[in-house]
Each structure stands twice: as C-alpha cells, then as structure tokens.
Amino acid sequence: MKKPLLLGCQGCGNAIVECAFALGGIDYDYEEVDYSADSPTRPRLLEVNPLGQVPTLVLPDGTVMTESLAMIHYANDVMPKAGLIPAPGDPLRPVFYRWAVFLVAAVYPTFTYGDDPKKWVANEEGAKQLRESTDRLRQDQWRQLEAIAGAPWFLGERRTALDLYVASMTRWRPGRKWFAANTPKVVAIAERASALEELTPVMKKNFG
Ligand SMILES: N[C@@H](CCC(=O)N[C@@H](CS)C(=O)NCC(=O)O)C(=O)O
C-alpha cells in the first residue's frame, strides 16, 4: 500500500510529525530536503510546497499538507489510539488547542523571521535588531509556557502532541543551556518524551 511521504530536514519541525507517526505506528516514506536558498533540493521542495517549508506531507492520494499541526490532526484521525489530541468533550481539548496553536503560531514564527532576518529587512542593522527581538520574544514565550507547564506531561497526567512539540522545539534556539536554566519543567517534559521507546530512534536521527 502506498504510504504518505514526509519531506523534511534533519533536526527540523518534521521531527514533531515523525514522533507523532511513531507513536501512532503510522508507516511513511521520508525524503530529506534542504530549504536553504541555494540548495539543490529546494526546487523539489518548492514543487510540492511553494512556502519552501518543512515539514511537508504528501498523502497517498497526492493531497499535499503543510503545517505541522495539520499533520498532527491527520495522524490523530488515522490513529486516534495514539492519543495525540484530547477527544471531543474532554475538558483538556480546548487547553490543547490553545497551546498547540501558541506553539505553531506564536513561537514557530520567531524562527521564520529570525532565522535569516536579512530576508525581511533592508539592511544589516535591521537584520540584527530583528534577530534580537525575535530571540527575546521567544524567550518570553517559553517563560510563559514554563509557568503553566504540568507534570509529568505538559497537560499534566495526559500525554499529548504538545509533548512532542516541546521535545523538538527545546532543541532549537535559545539552546539546551538556556532551557535548563530558565524552563526546568519544560525540559523535564522534553526529556521524558524523548526517552519514550517509540521516539528515541526519531530523536536520535534528528538531533543525534
Ligand atoms: N507553521 C509551519 C512552520 C514550518 C517551518 O517554519 N519550518 C522551518 C524548518 S523547522 C522551515 O521550513 N524554515 C524555512 C523557511 O521558513 O523558509 C509548521 O508548523 O509546520
């Protein structure tokens, strides 16, 4: 049977989707691409996703999905037993939605505009400021997440896809040292998720 094809790059947001697929036992093919401007695989990525972003998912019927959270919903539909999203009626469902969208719509864009700030502003000074301001904003956002993080998982007793986001996104800027010093509850969740048997191969492949 044809499998979904996930386009990703090592250590990028596709790791979150790979973790969700691993928890759900969802089989998929994987294609490594590099989204950088001068990369030989960028044209291939643009062919599928004009945003030039990973993760990008091509379903067996050819439907293209972008946006990691959309893919989490897909995985949840295919394999509800994986428990990625609290079910309708569960009081944790709106809480899940709030923080999942916070991660993808507030935290993730700090990288979109901060990773390569020269793309968005006219000069070096502007680029430096944009990098600094997005880095600062992200730190504030993680402090906010730390303040409400539960244990052993982000939503308390209930493991969800939020824990998968936390596991991968704490590997990114501002880096493990900053997270350890400023967001110990978040780090504990990340470590617990990364140590899950189904997830260790994915985390190792992506983050070493
Ligand atoms: N909202 C998207 C964000 C995806 C994203 O920004 N991915 C990064 C890699 S981790 C990327 O492709 N960056 C290149 C770019 O934005 O041009 C999602 O949740 O999947």
mmCIF file of all heavy atoms in Angstrom, residues 5 7 31 33 42-53 56-59 62-66:
data_model
loop_
_atom_site.group_PDB
_atom_site.id
_atom_site.type_symbol
_atom_site.label_atom_id
_atom_site.label_comp_id
_atom_site.label_asym_id
_atom_site.label_seq_id
_atom_site.Cartn_x
_atom_site.Cartn_y
_atom_site.Cartn_z
ATOM 1 N N LEU A 5 4.247 10.490 2.164
ATOM 2 C CA LEU A 5 5.657 10.864 2.013
ATOM 3 C C LEU A 5 5.905 12.160 2.780
ATOM 4 O O LEU A 5 5.235 13.179 2.540
ATOM 5 C CB LEU A 5 5.969 11.084 0.521
ATOM 6 C CG LEU A 5 7.334 11.716 0.214
ATOM 7 C CD1 LEU A 5 8.477 10.759 0.590
ATOM 8 C CD2 LEU A 5 7.438 12.112 -1.260
ATOM 9 N N LEU A 7 8.408 15.164 3.623
ATOM 10 C CA LEU A 7 9.637 15.873 3.263
ATOM 11 C C LEU A 7 10.103 16.646 4.488
ATOM 12 O O LEU A 7 9.307 17.368 5.121
ATOM 13 C CB LEU A 7 9.376 16.847 2.103
ATOM 14 C CG LEU A 7 9.309 16.237 0.708
ATOM 15 C CD1 LEU A 7 7.954 15.611 0.446
ATOM 16 C CD2 LEU A 7 9.593 17.283 -0.352
ATOM 17 N N GLU A 31 11.732 11.876 2.774
ATOM 18 C CA GLU A 31 12.671 12.446 1.801
ATOM 19 C C GLU A 31 13.353 13.650 2.437
ATOM 20 O O GLU A 31 12.695 14.599 2.861
ATOM 21 C CB GLU A 31 11.889 12.861 0.545
ATOM 22 C CG GLU A 31 12.776 13.359 -0.573
ATOM 23 C CD GLU A 31 11.950 13.678 -1.838
ATOM 24 O OE1 GLU A 31 10.873 13.066 -2.061
ATOM 25 O OE2 GLU A 31 12.393 14.573 -2.579
ATOM 26 N N VAL A 33 15.246 17.029 2.457
ATOM 27 C CA VAL A 33 15.427 18.197 1.580
ATOM 28 C C VAL A 33 16.071 19.305 2.401
ATOM 29 O O VAL A 33 16.012 19.289 3.626
ATOM 30 C CB VAL A 33 14.079 18.713 0.999
ATOM 31 C CG1 VAL A 33 13.523 17.781 -0.055
ATOM 32 C CG2 VAL A 33 13.047 18.950 2.091
ATOM 33 N N ARG A 42 16.033 22.461 -3.000
ATOM 34 C CA ARG A 42 14.966 23.464 -2.809
ATOM 35 C C ARG A 42 13.906 23.444 -3.939
ATOM 36 O O ARG A 42 12.716 23.500 -3.657
ATOM 37 C CB ARG A 42 15.570 24.869 -2.646
ATOM 38 C CG ARG A 42 14.477 25.918 -2.356
ATOM 39 C CD ARG A 42 15.033 27.226 -1.864
ATOM 40 N NE ARG A 42 13.991 28.232 -1.740
ATOM 41 C CZ ARG A 42 13.198 28.371 -0.682
ATOM 42 N NH1 ARG A 42 13.345 27.572 0.356
ATOM 43 N NH2 ARG A 42 12.270 29.304 -0.637
ATOM 44 N N PRO A 43 14.334 23.340 -5.215
ATOM 45 C CA PRO A 43 13.318 23.281 -6.277
ATOM 46 C C PRO A 43 12.331 22.139 -6.067
ATOM 47 O O PRO A 43 11.133 22.281 -6.279
ATOM 48 C CB PRO A 43 14.134 23.084 -7.560
ATOM 49 C CG PRO A 43 15.496 23.599 -7.221
ATOM 50 C CD PRO A 43 15.702 23.357 -5.764
ATOM 51 N N ARG A 44 12.825 21.008 -5.635
ATOM 52 C CA ARG A 44 11.946 19.852 -5.367
ATOM 53 C C ARG A 44 10.940 20.195 -4.253
ATOM 54 O O ARG A 44 9.752 19.918 -4.352
ATOM 55 C CB ARG A 44 12.814 18.649 -4.971
ATOM 56 C CG ARG A 44 12.128 17.573 -4.188
ATOM 57 C CD ARG A 44 11.093 16.833 -5.012
ATOM 58 N NE ARG A 44 10.460 15.753 -4.240
ATOM 59 C CZ ARG A 44 9.218 15.370 -4.402
ATOM 60 N NH1 ARG A 44 8.453 15.957 -5.292
ATOM 61 N NH2 ARG A 44 8.722 14.396 -3.686
ATOM 62 N N LEU A 45 11.424 20.870 -3.196
ATOM 63 C CA LEU A 45 10.533 21.246 -2.095
ATOM 64 C C LEU A 45 9.485 22.252 -2.579
ATOM 65 O O LEU A 45 8.293 22.113 -2.284
ATOM 66 C CB LEU A 45 11.365 21.820 -0.936
ATOM 67 C CG LEU A 45 10.600 22.367 0.267
ATOM 68 C CD1 LEU A 45 9.752 21.279 0.944
ATOM 69 C CD2 LEU A 45 11.574 22.975 1.299
ATOM 70 N N LEU A 46 9.924 23.234 -3.365
ATOM 71 C CA LEU A 46 9.003 24.270 -3.863
ATOM 72 C C LEU A 46 7.927 23.699 -4.780
ATOM 73 O O LEU A 46 6.808 24.194 -4.825
ATOM 74 C CB LEU A 46 9.786 25.359 -4.610
ATOM 75 C CG LEU A 46 10.652 26.269 -3.730
ATOM 76 C CD1 LEU A 46 11.434 27.249 -4.595
ATOM 77 C CD2 LEU A 46 9.813 27.022 -2.697
ATOM 78 N N GLU A 47 8.315 22.637 -5.484
ATOM 79 C CA GLU A 47 7.370 21.950 -6.368
ATOM 80 C C GLU A 47 6.154 21.478 -5.555
ATOM 81 O O GLU A 47 5.021 21.527 -6.003
ATOM 82 C CB GLU A 47 8.105 20.701 -6.860
ATOM 83 C CG GLU A 47 7.874 20.196 -8.238
ATOM 84 C CD GLU A 47 8.848 19.032 -8.428
ATOM 85 O OE1 GLU A 47 8.532 17.906 -7.990
ATOM 86 O OE2 GLU A 47 9.942 19.271 -8.988
ATOM 87 N N VAL A 48 6.418 21.013 -4.345
ATOM 88 C CA VAL A 48 5.357 20.446 -3.506
ATOM 89 C C VAL A 48 4.759 21.520 -2.597
ATOM 90 O O VAL A 48 3.561 21.559 -2.365
ATOM 91 C CB VAL A 48 5.915 19.280 -2.648
ATOM 92 C CG1 VAL A 48 4.782 18.490 -2.021
ATOM 93 C CG2 VAL A 48 6.795 18.375 -3.462
ATOM 94 N N ASN A 49 5.610 22.378 -2.064
ATOM 95 C CA ASN A 49 5.163 23.395 -1.112
ATOM 96 C C ASN A 49 5.764 24.748 -1.483
ATOM 97 O O ASN A 49 6.936 25.005 -1.207
ATOM 98 C CB ASN A 49 5.598 22.982 0.307
ATOM 99 C CG ASN A 49 5.198 24.014 1.348
ATOM 100 O OD1 ASN A 49 4.576 25.030 1.022
ATOM 101 N ND2 ASN A 49 5.579 23.768 2.595
ATOM 102 N N PRO A 50 4.978 25.630 -2.095
ATOM 103 C CA PRO A 50 5.502 26.925 -2.538
ATOM 104 C C PRO A 50 6.053 27.780 -1.390
ATOM 105 O O PRO A 50 6.803 28.721 -1.625
ATOM 106 C CB PRO A 50 4.292 27.615 -3.176
ATOM 107 C CG PRO A 50 3.253 26.570 -3.354
ATOM 108 C CD PRO A 50 3.550 25.453 -2.403
ATOM 109 N N LEU A 51 5.688 27.419 -0.138
ATOM 110 C CA LEU A 51 6.251 28.148 1.008
ATOM 111 C C LEU A 51 7.724 27.792 1.225
ATOM 112 O O LEU A 51 8.437 28.493 1.931
ATOM 113 C CB LEU A 51 5.505 27.764 2.292
ATOM 114 C CG LEU A 51 4.142 28.373 2.576
ATOM 115 C CD1 LEU A 51 3.527 27.695 3.802
ATOM 116 C CD2 LEU A 51 4.277 29.867 2.824
ATOM 117 N N GLY A 52 8.141 26.681 0.657
ATOM 118 C CA GLY A 52 9.519 26.234 0.845
ATOM 119 C C GLY A 52 9.813 25.841 2.279
ATOM 120 O O GLY A 52 10.927 26.032 2.774
ATOM 121 N N GLN A 53 8.801 25.313 2.962
ATOM 122 C CA GLN A 53 8.994 24.934 4.369
ATOM 123 C C GLN A 53 8.841 23.427 4.564
ATOM 124 O O GLN A 53 8.113 22.760 3.827
ATOM 125 C CB GLN A 53 7.951 25.641 5.247
ATOM 126 C CG GLN A 53 8.186 27.139 5.372
ATOM 127 C CD GLN A 53 7.283 27.790 6.421
ATOM 128 O OE1 GLN A 53 6.196 27.310 6.698
ATOM 129 N NE2 GLN A 53 7.736 28.891 6.983
ATOM 130 N N THR A 56 6.603 18.987 5.062
ATOM 131 C CA THR A 56 5.579 18.933 4.018
ATOM 132 C C THR A 56 5.219 17.456 3.859
ATOM 133 O O THR A 56 6.108 16.602 3.864
ATOM 134 C CB THR A 56 6.121 19.496 2.692
ATOM 135 O OG1 THR A 56 6.421 20.890 2.869
ATOM 136 C CG2 THR A 56 5.112 19.360 1.569
ATOM 137 N N LEU A 57 3.923 17.202 3.760
ATOM 138 C CA LEU A 57 3.475 15.811 3.705
ATOM 139 C C LEU A 57 2.657 15.601 2.431
ATOM 140 O O LEU A 57 1.777 16.408 2.127
ATOM 141 C CB LEU A 57 2.609 15.514 4.937
ATOM 142 C CG LEU A 57 2.165 14.068 5.150
ATOM 143 C CD1 LEU A 57 3.365 13.170 5.485
ATOM 144 C CD2 LEU A 57 1.132 13.977 6.294
ATOM 145 N N VAL A 58 2.982 14.538 1.707
ATOM 146 C CA VAL A 58 2.186 14.183 0.522
ATOM 147 C C VAL A 58 1.448 12.885 0.848
ATOM 148 O O VAL A 58 2.069 11.853 1.108
ATOM 149 C CB VAL A 58 3.081 13.995 -0.728
ATOM 150 C CG1 VAL A 58 2.203 13.790 -1.967
ATOM 151 C CG2 VAL A 58 4.013 15.187 -0.922
ATOM 152 N N LEU A 59 0.126 12.975 0.869
ATOM 153 C CA LEU A 59 -0.680 11.800 1.206
ATOM 154 C C LEU A 59 -0.733 10.840 0.021
ATOM 155 O O LEU A 59 -0.458 11.238 -1.120
ATOM 156 C CB LEU A 59 -2.095 12.245 1.614
ATOM 157 C CG LEU A 59 -2.161 13.177 2.820
ATOM 158 C CD1 LEU A 59 -3.617 13.510 3.167
ATOM 159 C CD2 LEU A 59 -1.469 12.563 4.036
ATOM 160 N N GLY A 62 -2.112 11.945 -3.191
ATOM 161 C CA GLY A 62 -1.486 13.117 -3.807
ATOM 162 C C GLY A 62 -1.786 14.426 -3.085
ATOM 163 O O GLY A 62 -1.185 15.458 -3.395
ATOM 164 N N THR A 63 -2.706 14.402 -2.133
ATOM 165 C CA THR A 63 -3.014 15.628 -1.379
ATOM 166 C C THR A 63 -1.765 16.097 -0.637
ATOM 167 O O THR A 63 -1.082 15.296 0.017
ATOM 168 C CB THR A 63 -4.132 15.352 -0.335
ATOM 169 O OG1 THR A 63 -5.276 14.869 -1.033
ATOM 170 C CG2 THR A 63 -4.484 16.597 0.443
ATOM 171 N N VAL A 64 -1.496 17.395 -0.754
ATOM 172 C CA VAL A 64 -0.323 17.946 -0.061
ATOM 173 C C VAL A 64 -0.772 18.619 1.223
ATOM 174 O O VAL A 64 -1.736 19.384 1.237
ATOM 175 C CB VAL A 64 0.404 18.970 -0.960
ATOM 176 C CG1 VAL A 64 1.510 19.683 -0.190
ATOM 177 C CG2 VAL A 64 0.981 18.278 -2.195
ATOM 178 N N MET A 65 -0.073 18.322 2.304
ATOM 179 C CA MET A 65 -0.327 19.012 3.569
ATOM 180 C C MET A 65 0.917 19.791 3.966
ATOM 181 O O MET A 65 2.031 19.272 3.893
ATOM 182 C CB MET A 65 -0.642 18.018 4.689
ATOM 183 C CG MET A 65 -1.930 17.268 4.489
ATOM 184 S SD MET A 65 -2.275 16.239 5.934
ATOM 185 C CE MET A 65 -2.902 17.488 7.035
ATOM 186 N N THR A 66 0.699 21.045 4.372
ATOM 187 C CA THR A 66 1.767 21.796 5.028
ATOM 188 C C THR A 66 1.253 22.075 6.432
ATOM 189 O O THR A 66 0.086 21.792 6.723
ATOM 190 C CB THR A 66 2.052 23.118 4.292
ATOM 191 O OG1 THR A 66 0.879 23.939 4.346
ATOM 192 C CG2 THR A 66 2.403 22.870 2.829
#
